[in-house]
């Protein structure tokens, strides 16, 4: 459930009419609903109620500092994957002890930043990384808390570009090697092993792969404990999928996922961390765009929008489906017709949907892409010198611009012409 509904025939974000925001900030723009973000976060928090747990929002999904602050106020931790994300989390007021650092390529500088600013744990992904982190920690005179991310070799049954739990993926260490790797970690004085980490992929709509991965993690926990390691924390990753269509999709809910977690690892007495991103932010955001032209092609009709692949890359990159709806509610029973929904960027990949059945739309109408709150704004680029579009946060009957659209001057000023030119 989200808070983007038609009221009196006009699409609203909570109690604010979308056209009102469009008039204030121009199009295209992203708009988020605070109530939806909070609701989604609480679903996870409640799913693990009774267990010692921390929900670390995977902020790669949507990382505007205002959104982070909404979640931080709910008690969320953060899963960060770069120095930039770490800095954002801190800027949103998240204490270091609620930040976990994931990613296969952490640099010395990023390690230093987190060790001095405070960190709950590093999820270490390789032996070379372990050595470097050990060195950096010793040079600072501190001990780095770590989990090792294991690759359970489980098929997540999701899009190949976002599956991470098979041995052919670059993530984690093979679970079969885990005992050796933990023995090495325990011998490094700059590291303190605190647990195990696993994440098998994103947009998972079946709980079985989670169950298989967590079962392997539970077995490994027993083995490592028998080897004398203190395994007090399990980071079970993120990846729970969301419905991208309004029709018949009903992926498992956070509560169902929580049940799998209880069943598979509940007996171990570990503190549990999870890293959901998409489910918290995805359906908490829309991309709103204006129709520039309706163009009649040969046997096709093109809806040319002012949003493009640089603003929302998921359709071009993963053939992802986003529902597209008119902001003015179509009359009941109105006839739909197939359209190719495209942006103005000069390549055919700049296509949001092909042959999508849509109610009649005309130039200057507003349309909204649903489920665009996660991996939307964060993956945007300035391709074609199109400015990064504004982000807006709605809370009840008011809204605020949480990132303004830069002017062309501001964009161009970031380039410098060398003196000798
Ligand atoms: N933890 C780790 C270590 C991750 O790599 C990810 C996502 C998450 C948590 C959060 O997963 P989520 O709950 O959001 O599924 N750009 C792609 C998605 C990439 C996901 C990468 N890792 C997309 O637009 O579909």
């Amino acid at each position: 459930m989200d808070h983007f509904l038609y009221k009196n025939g006009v699409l609203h974000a909570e109690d604010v009419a979308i056209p009102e925001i469009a008039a204030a900030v121009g199009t295209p723009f992203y708009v988020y609903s605070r109530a939806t973000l909070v609701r989604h976060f609480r679903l996870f928090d409640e799913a693990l109620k009774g267990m010692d747990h921390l929900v670390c929002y995977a902020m790669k999904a949507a990382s505007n500092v205002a959104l982070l602050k909404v979640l931080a106020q709910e008690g969320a931790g953060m899963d960060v994957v770069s120095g930039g994300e770490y800095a954002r989390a801190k800027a949103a007021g998240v204490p270091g002890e609620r930040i976990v650092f994931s990613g296969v390529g952490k640099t010395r500088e990023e390690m230093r930043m987190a060790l001095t600013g405070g960190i709950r744990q590093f999820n270490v992904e390789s032996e070379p990384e372990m050595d470097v982190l050990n060195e950096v920690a010793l040079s600072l005179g501190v001990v780095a808390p770590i989990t090792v991310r294991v690759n359970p070799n489980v098929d997540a049954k999701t899009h190949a570009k976002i599956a991470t739990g098979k041995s052919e993926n670059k993530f984690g260490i093979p679970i079969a090697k885990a005992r050796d790797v933990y023995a090495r970690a325990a011998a490094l004085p700059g590291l303190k092993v605190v647990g195990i980490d696993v994440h098998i992929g994103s947009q998972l709509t079946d709980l079985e792969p989670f169950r298989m991965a967590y079962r392997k993690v539970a077995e490994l926990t027993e083995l490592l404990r028998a080897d004398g390691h203190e395994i007090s924390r399990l980071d079970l990753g993120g990846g729970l999928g969301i419905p991208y269509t309004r029709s018949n999709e009903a992926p498992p809910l956070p509560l169902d996922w929580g049940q799998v977690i209880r069943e598979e690892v509940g007996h171990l007495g570990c503190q549990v961390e999870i890293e959901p991103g998409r489910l918290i932010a995805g359906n908490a955001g829309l991309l709103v765009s204006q129709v520039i032209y309706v163009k009649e092609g040969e046997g096709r009709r093109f809806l040319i929008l002012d949003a493009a692949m640089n603003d929302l890359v998921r359709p071009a990159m993963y053939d992802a489906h986003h529902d597209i709806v008119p902001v003015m509610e179509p009359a009941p029973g109105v006839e739909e017709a197939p359209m190719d929904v495209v942006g103005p960027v000069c390549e055919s990949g700049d296509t949001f949907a092909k042959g999508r059945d849509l109610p009649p739309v005309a130039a200057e109408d507003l349309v909204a892409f649903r489920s665009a709150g996660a991996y939307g704004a964060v993956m945007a680029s300035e391709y074609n010198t199109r400015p990064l579009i504004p982000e807006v946060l709605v809370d009840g009957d008011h809204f605020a611009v949480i990132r303004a659209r830069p002017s062309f001057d501001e964009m161009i000023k970031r380039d410098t012409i060398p003196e000798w030119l």
Side-chain angles (χ1 to χ4, degrees), residues 355-370:
R356 179 75 61 88
D357 283 331
L358 291 174
V361 253
E364 300 194 6
D365 284 358
L366 295 174
V367 296
F369 290 75
R370 290 194 180 273

Side-chain angles (χ1 to χ4, degrees), residues 58 60 79 102 149 162 199 202-203 238-240 275-278 314 318 375 379:
K60 61 166 76 68
D79 169 39
S102 300
R149 176 166 174 184
I162 52 177
H199 171 80
S202 193
Q203 187 54 17
L240 194 60
E275 302 169 350
R278 189 189 310 263
R314 301 193 70 258
Y318 315 111
Y375 306 111
M379 293 180 80

Side-chain angles (χ1 to χ4, degrees), residues 308-310 343-347 350 381-387 408 411:
M309 63 189 289
N310 70 298
V345 162
C346 309
E347 52 184 286
D350 187 22
S381 76
E382 291 180 343
Y383 187 37
N384 282 204
T385 306
R386 293 168 49 85
F408 295 142
M411 289 168 73

Side-chain angles (χ1 to χ4, degrees), residues 325-338:
V325 296
V327 165
M328 303 311 284
E329 188 172 22
V334 77
E335 207 165 313
E336 299 194 333

Side-chain angles (χ1 to χ4, degrees), residues 76-216:
M78 297 289 153
D79 169 39
V80 309
V81 292
S82 68
E85 285 195 351
Y86 180 86
R88 276 183 183 277
K90 290 306 278 284
V94 182
E97 65 265 25
R98 279 203 258 138
I99 303 177
V100 302
F101 206 135
S102 300
V104 293
K106 302 175 200 80
T107 63
R108 281 170 197 270
E109 204 178 319
E110 288 171 329
M111 292 170 178
R112 232 172 269 128
M113 185 176 178
L115 283 170
T116 40
I119 189 81
R120 182 180 189 81
Q121 89 222 11
F122 293 89
N123 295 330
V124 172
E125 299 229 14
S126 66
E127 290 175 84
E129 180 191 339
M130 225 157 74
D131 292 334
V132 169
L133 182 59
N134 177 57
E135 258 177 58
V136 174
L138 290 178
S139 74
L140 294 169
V142 297
V143 173
I146 66 154
T147 70
V148 176
R149 176 166 174 184
V150 294
N151 186 325
N153 195 23
V154 164
D155 183 356
K157 299 189 208 145
T158 184
H159 191 287
K161 283 189 184 158
I162 52 177
T164 55
K166 288 282 282 173
S167 30
E168 71 245 34
N169 304 127
K170 67 183 174 185
F171 301 96
I173 56 134
I175 198 158
K177 274 181 70 182
R179 289 174 80 181
D180 291 345
V181 174
Y182 272 84
R184 271 198 68 194
L188 296 172
L191 306 184
K192 169 156 177 47
V193 171
V194 294
I196 307 174
D197 170 47
V198 71
H199 171 80
I200 56 173
S202 193
Q203 187 54 17
L204 273 68
T205 51
D206 179 358
L207 290 175
E208 264 333 277
F210 286 118
R211 186 181 290 284
M212 280 156 62
Y214 298 162
R215 193 162 292 174
K216 289 188 179 190

